[in-house]
Each structure stands twice: as C-alpha cells, then as structure tokens.
Amino acid sequence: MIGFEESRGERSHPDVTKMFFIFALFLIFSLCFSVLLLFLFKPLSSSSNPYKILPPSPPRLPIIGNLHQLGSSPHRSLQAMAQSYGQLMLLHLGTVPVLVASSTDVAQEIMKTHDLIFSNRPKINYGEYWRQAKSIAVLHILTNKRVQSYRKVRRDETSLLIKKIQESNESLVNLSELIISLTNNVICRVALGRTYDGKKFKNLLERFLELLGSFSVGSYIPFLRWVDWLSGLEQRADYVAKEFNDFFDGVIEEHINKKLVNTEGLDIVDILLEIERDNTIGFHLERDEIKAIIMDIFAGGTDTTFTNLEWAISELLRHPQAMKKLQQEAREIGQGKSMITEDDLDKMPYLKSILKETLRLHPPLPLLVPHESTQDVKLLGYDITAGTRVIVNAWAIARDSSTWTEPNEFQPERFLNNPIDYKGFHFELIPFGAGRRGCPAIQFAMIVNELVLANLVYKFDLKVAEGEDLDMSETNGLTVHKKYPIFVTATHYY
C-alpha cells in the first residue's frame, strides 16, 4: 500500500529507474576497465560451460547485466522480452542469474513438476524451520474454522465503510482511502485484537510497504551495496524495523498482561502466545518468531487485499454493463436486507467472476515472489544450475493470447461455467502462486473482497465524478496499485 498524498493527486511510490542515477558516477568510472569486465562476465554458454544448454538470454552490460532493461514496469518489460527470447529466458540482474517464466507450461514445471527443487526463496531456504512455521499458519491461524470465526470483524468493518459513504451525502468520496482503512482495520482486529488507525501507525505501515517495493542495488551487485547506504535505503529499513519491533513488543505485552479485553475471541497474537506457552507444535516458538509471523500477515494481507478491491471497482466503473449486471445479482440476492451476508456470497457467481477477471488483469504481485533452485535440474531441455533465482511473470501468463481470448479485455463472463480458479491448481491463473510456496491466506483475503464489493454495489450506485477521468495508470513496486485514487459519487440505493 503506497500512501496517499495529503492533497488529491498522484500517490507516492518508489521508482526503480531512479536508483540507477545514484551510481551513475560509478558506472562512468567503470568504463575504463569495461573490456576486462566483459571477459569476467562473459555468457555462461561460452567455452567455460561447453556442455551446458542454457535458456535464451538477451545481451547484457558490464556490472548491471540486464537490470537496465527492467524499466519502471518490470512485468511489462519482461513480457516484451519474452516475445523475443521465449517462454523461459535467462537474465543476469547484476551478478545474479535469474530465470523468467512467462507461460502456463513453464509455471507448471516450476511449481508442480519440480516444486521441491524450486522450493527455496532467495536467502530463505526451504527446510524444517520453514515447514514448521507454515504449519502454524495452516493448522492454527488460517483454518476454515478460524477464518469463519472472524465473520463479525468483516461485517462490522463493511458496515462502517457503508456508513462513511452514506455520510458523504453524494459528495465526492475518496473510495481508495476508505478501502485502505477497512483493510487495515480488518487485519489489525484479526491479528492484534483491536484497530490501530492513528496517523503514526498508518505512516509506519505505509513506509514498510514502500520499502518492500524498493529496489536494492546491493541485492544484485554486492560490491555496490554502498549505494543502498548512500541512498538511505538501509537506514530507512533499519529504522522501520526498529519501530515495528517496538510496536509489536508493546502489543505482545498488552496481551500478556491482559490489558486488552478481546470480546471477539482469540486474535492471532493470542494464538501465537498460546502456542509459545503450551509448546503444542513440537518446537519452541521464540518471541522474535512471533513478531515475524505477525509482520508476514501485515505484509501479505493488507496491501494485496486492498489492491484487488481497488482494481475491481475501477474496472466496473469503466464497464457500466458489468456494473449493472453485478448490481442486479446483488439486489436479487439481497432483496431489501440491510446487508448482503457471507452466507449469500456462494449464490453470486458473477461476483466471483468479476474478482477472478480482476485478478487475471491486475494480479497484486505481477511478478510472484522469487523462487530459487536447490539443485541442478533439467527444465524444458535446458540446464538450470543450483542457486538460480526464478521469477514467474503471473501478469504475462494471465494475458497470454494462446490461453485467453482477447486477453487485454475485461470480460468477467469468461469465468462463468469455467473451472479455472486462482487457488493454485490452474496455472493459467496464479495471482497467489502455487505449490508448497503458494499463499496460505487466499480464503481470508478473498472473502473480504467478496463481502465488500457485493455490499458496495448493493447499497450504492457508484459513478466517477462528472468531468473526471478514471486514470488506470499503475504505480511501481512489489505490488502494483492504481497510480491515482478512485474518487466517486455514491447514490444510496437501499
């Protein structure tokens, strides 16, 4: 979630291309020995690796490799490059070899056929600790029963959103800002037991999410790590980490000392403290690990949930016929009730089609979190060495014309009576990843999206303000949002 400016206008966001200006002087200086570097960084397919069959690879520059070709929208740049170099290509981002997968078949090979081999993350290996940590999420935090136990939280926050829009009295509403607030409140209440909606916490969360999308030179060119220090990136990361650490310390102490009376049942901090106390999972859960799990929930739950809702509403505003069809479905189901409930959602196939089509066109993470190979492997006839980083371009796969008819068009009807889903079993649509590294919180995120969107179109007729243009430009970063917030007028229907 990149924060909003105080005034109406463009959201602030990191720009990958700006980072290169910081070490421009260094690159100029390096020209004097660029010939030497060309030999040092010569393609792996040369005589030093005479028996390796490597994927196609575009030409690269000394030091930076192919980094300069990523541009401000890497998912789009990589899609264009794949059209020249193929569904599986090898890039060199600085000194790091990176495979880029841009087709359904390659994604399936990586996340199903060779799932275990590609189960590492860069600097986060797949192993016993990771399996135990994931078991906490799957068996204790994100079970169907646990997700259902938070129904009241979702209903309360959706009702509050509706109330705020009603109070606007059909004046201009920053709908993006309201949805961000709703998402933050849901995550806070579920994870921490109460909302933390003050400006200080909101600013901290925005800075954290901005850092997640920032480009780190040192991650790809280790001997240029000083650039991250010079740009202030490392200092900002350290400062935000300390602030969150202190914040979570306070939250945990609040729970231990029972200063928080939670009438909604156990929140996630309660669950983790219970696991720590009773040692019910076979290994001791440290306090720092509790804070890390909570941090993961905020990183994975807040930004992506909000992003999907914002894009869905934007597409509906651009396609009045789809909006009208969804409203008809919602109003037939609602039949004058004060709200559409979660029990009603399974009777709304067009609602689910809208969200699937939105995830297809606008996956929150267009480039899935990178994988890394644990051993040498043969992939589609190519030799992939251990330690190779892998990026799956979910955005390009979801717009592949060999899979989708009119792939760049918003057509929710394509998912009616269509078994393709986003849960990781159909590799044509993988916004949440797949395999053992797939997102375990899909159900939690999507039920929020379904409930909020259903009630927005049920309660209001939403329109872009007269004379205003609905700009669909994207921001840059780990998650891709709309560059500009949504401003609408909302006429109350029920």
Side-chain angles (χ1 to χ4, degrees), residues 22-23 50 75 78 93 178 236 238 280 296 316 329-330 344 421-422 425 427 432 441 471 474:
I22 299 173
F23 60 97
H75 54 289
L78 292 176
L93 304 184
L178 293 179
R236 294 199 309 274
D238 289 342
T280 57
D296 281 346
L316 287 171
E329 180 179 72
D344 297 322
D421 211 338
Y422 46 69
F425 301 107
F427 291 87
F432 299 105
D471 193 308
E474 300 172 342

Side-chain angles (χ1 to χ4, degrees), residues 125-135 281-283:
N125 290 341
Y126 176 79
E128 186 58 28
Y129 172 77
W130 180 86
R131 286 192 292 271
Q132 290 171 336
K134 185 170 183 179
S135 73
I281 56 174
F283 76 100

